[in-house]
Amino acid sequence: MSTTSLPTPAHAAELRSALLAAGFTADGLLDLLGAPAYAALARSETVPALRATRAGGDGPLASLVRLFLLQQPVPYAHAERALPVEAALADGWLRRDGDELRATVDVRPYGGPDGEDWFIVSDLGCAVGGAGGIGSREEGVVLGVGGASTTLAGITVRTPVGSALDVGTGSGIQALHAAQHATRVTATDVNPRALEFTRLTLALSGAQQAELLTGSLFEPVGAATYDLIVSNPPFVISPGARLTYRDGGMGGDDLCRTLVQQAGDRLNPGGYAQFLGNWQHVEGEDWRDRLRSWVPRGCDAWIVQRDVQDVTQYAELWLRDAGDHRTDPAEYARRYEEWLDEFEAQGTKSVGFGWITLRRTDAAEPSIVIEEWPHTVEQPLGDAVLAHFARQDYLREHDDAALLEAHFVLAAEVVQEQVGAPGAEDPEHVVLRQSRGMMRATKVDTVGAGFAGVCDGSLSAGRILDAIAQLMQEDAVMLRDRTPEAIRMLVEQGFLEPVARPAQ
């Protein structure tokens, strides 16, 4: 594990003020670098940004970008215009290199959901992982912001809570988000260096400090319970545990399974646990059944599979993540063989990736929804998660007869598309499509389209169906019998919203 000493947050408030004064923010970077260079940074490509900072001269913002994002030396005099240099040296944010200064950590501006100017602190060159490849094989390296981090932050429920737990905090981005709406935040990590980075991230972002505990999974918190649990765990299914930030060290997908199964007992009533994860697709087993077995008793669950990779794609992705493709070809081939041997031994044909949300409930029959949705969604989705579970509550409480008595409105973001051959008198089918949130689309028949189009809250579902039956010269009783299932689906997926009955 890396033993490099880390900065202290003694003068973090002073340093934060200097960074903000220089415009070292997400918006400031975009203005200085331009969109193409800014986007290239997210792909771990630094050449466009280097060119942009050269064009920016020796101004404070350009100097900060070269120091903290591009890991380039900056003359002392230039840095002094941007920072309280002596304080930064004393705390260990910078080090001398002759007449120049170098950063000891990566400091990356990050825009909060309500326009906050935050900073994520991580190891040098490790702001972005994944397919771009951080190229580091140090066991204890701590990553900064990546696509997985922002995905989890976007799907997390953001209602005010008394307590929140970030399991496997890394550089602290989830704890930083939680600090905005939780009275008390606890962050854990098996890597003590990660907790120090979290401390720096929170301090430099001007956020409340968290309780920082060392250990694996829920071991550090004992029997404590929380209103919100989040985790972007080391979910990579790999042979062994080479890299702390990504490899769980358990066989197959056992780490994700254990995390999910143990979360139920750590949730307060009504509390949420939200994770990213990988899971195996095993020969002869339905992946949905595998995940259903993970859900702890007493919890509703919504599990969304966002992507599936065959075992060769998966092995290549994570070999590149560690920079193994840049090593000796024979060594790369040996590691590749190890991954494939591991998958073959487990009967794994592919690996799924997605989101897992649990909600602690007292319901006699918990709702477990497991689905595949690889299509575009609109982040943030925290409100969509809340709405999903609210709909499950509603459907649990309403049988078919109650649905027919209920009143509904078509969700505001839904549009109707008619699909068919050009010039045809009638469409082959009708599609209802959401333009917000999960951005779902579903086919409906003529009755379903007509029903959805009429729903404005004024009439009960049963009365609407009676009118449709009369218009289509169908048997009203038979239409009432067969339609509740379709209504239930439209409610469950958010196309229809229940409303209170109008006053009589």
Side-chain angles (χ1 to χ4, degrees):
M1 182 174 292
S2 175
T3 58
T4 305
S5 60
L6 297 179
T8 71
H11 296 89
E14 186 180 353
L15 183 59
R16 171 177 171 78
S17 295
L19 297 178
L20 295 177
F24 191 62
T25 64
D27 289 341
L29 289 186
L30 184 59
D31 290 341
L32 174 69
L33 303 180
Y38 187 75
L41 270 182
R43 302 190 299 270
S44 300
E45 296 291 348
T46 59
V47 172
L50 279 169
R51 291 170 61 88
T53 59
R54 285 198 295 267
D58 56 4
L61 180 55
S63 295
L64 291 173
V65 171
R66 285 197 288 269
L67 271 172
F68 289 117
L69 297 187
L70 305 178
Q71 286 86 59
Q72 296 295 307
V74 169
Y76 187 104
H78 294 177
E80 200 172 28
R81 298 172 195 158
L83 292 168
V85 168
E86 291 306 315
L89 284 167
D91 287 356
W93 297 91
L94 302 176
R95 64 177 177 85
R96 289 183 182 273
D97 186 6
D99 293 331
E100 296 178 317
L101 299 175
R102 288 183 178 272
T104 61
V105 290
D106 187 298
V107 177
R108 188 149 305 233
Y110 176 76
D114 296 316
E116 302 94 341
D117 289 315
W118 293 339
F119 300 96
I120 309 299
V121 188
S122 64
D123 272 312
L124 291 172
C126 297
V128 180
I134 63 166
S136 174
R137 291 178 294 281
E138 283 193 74
E139 177 190 347
V141 70
V142 176
L143 299 190
V145 180
S149 302
T150 55
T151 293
L152 178 59
I155 68 172
T156 299
V157 170
R158 296 298 175 194
T159 52
V161 294
S163 57
L165 171 65
D166 177 13
V167 179
T169 186
S171 56
I173 181 174
Q174 309 306 329
L176 177 58
H177 276 277
Q180 311 309 304
H181 63 102
T183 303
R184 177 173 57 88
V185 178
T186 300
T188 71
D189 206 289
V190 71
N191 181 1
R193 291 183 76 250
L195 298 176
E196 292 308 309
F197 273 114
T198 295
R199 190 189 311 278
L200 296 172
T201 289
L202 293 173
L204 200 58
S205 298
Q208 65 165 315
Q209 276 298 328
E211 177 186 30
L212 304 174
L213 303 174
T214 304
S216 177
L217 300 181
F218 295 106
E219 178 271 329
V221 302
T225 57
Y226 300 86
D227 301 313
L228 174 67
I229 299 172
V230 294
S231 183
N232 176 17
F235 53 67
V236 176
I237 300 171
S238 60
R242 289 174 63 203
L243 301 175
T244 303
Y245 74 85
R246 69 167 205 193
D247 300 322
M250 298 185 184
D253 51 21
D254 281 355
L255 184 135
C256 287
R257 174 185 58 79
T258 302
L259 180 65
V260 173
Q261 289 180 335
Q262 292 183 356
D265 290 337
R266 269 73 178 190
L267 282 176
N268 292 326
Y272 286 86
Q274 298 187 265
F275 314 113
L276 301 184
N278 274 172
W279 41 81
Q280 295 163 274
H281 286 221
V282 178
E283 195 71 43
E285 174 188 76
D286 189 318
W287 65 272
R288 294 175 179 84
D289 292 338
R290 185 181 194 87
L291 289 173
R292 189 171 285 107
S293 72
W294 292 8
V295 178
R297 294 183 62 181
C299 286
D300 291 334
W302 184 22
I303 301 174
V304 182
Q305 180 167 272
R306 296 287 291 155
D307 189 27
V308 181
Q309 291 184 314
D310 67 52
V311 292
T312 59
Q313 291 175 310
Y314 189 81
E316 290 162 14
L317 169 68
W318 294 109
L319 287 167
R320 285 183 167 273
D321 171 75
D324 289 320
H325 59 304
R326 302 190 188 100
T327 63
D328 174 65
E331 177 68 8
Y332 175 80
R334 184 187 69 80
R335 291 195 182 279
Y336 202 150
E337 289 275 7
E338 284 181 351
W339 284 70
L340 296 185
D341 288 344
E342 181 89 354
F343 286 133
E344 185 176 347
Q346 297 168 351
T348 303
K349 57 183 180 179
S350 56
V351 177
F353 167 81
W355 318 327
I356 299 174
T357 299
L358 306 177
R359 183 185 63 164
R360 188 77 189 179
T361 179
D362 295 326
E365 295 184 10
S367 163
I368 300 177
V369 176
I370 303 173
E371 60 177 322
E372 187 165 18
W373 189 253
H375 310 293
T376 299
V377 298
E378 182 190 50
Q379 287 273 35
L381 283 168
D383 287 345
V385 172
L386 286 172
H388 167 88
F389 287 100
R391 293 193 296 267
Q392 298 307 311
D393 290 341
Y394 178 87
L395 293 172
R396 249 193 308 242
E397 296 164 0
H398 289 72
D399 59 16
D400 287 356
L403 284 181
L404 291 175
E405 292 298 317
H407 294 241
F408 301 96
V409 295
L410 187 67
E413 71 276 9
V414 175
V415 297
Q416 176 179 302
E417 300 174 358
Q418 297 189 13
V419 181
E425 183 175 347
D426 296 311
E428 294 176 15
H429 58 265
V430 175
V431 173
L432 299 181
R433 187 179 301 278
Q434 300 168 352
S435 58
R436 305 292 300 274
M438 290 294 288
M439 301 179 72
R440 297 185 186 276
T442 188
K443 291 181 183 179
V444 291
D445 60 15
T446 304
V447 172
F451 179 87
V454 173
C455 281
D456 61 3
S458 61
L459 297 175
S460 69
R463 290 187 62 185
I464 293 174
L465 289 176
D466 292 343
I468 291 175
Q470 184 175 9
L471 183 66
M472 299 180 65
Q473 298 184 339
E474 287 199 29
D475 185 289
V477 174
M478 293 183 64
L479 190 60
R480 277 175 170 255
D481 284 345
R482 74 170 191 258
T483 305
E485 182 179 355
I487 296 175
R488 193 170 293 275
M489 182 275 293
L490 291 174
V491 172
E492 181 176 33
Q493 295 192 359
F495 290 95
L496 293 179
E497 298 174 352
V499 296
R501 296 186 184 185
Q504 298 297 319

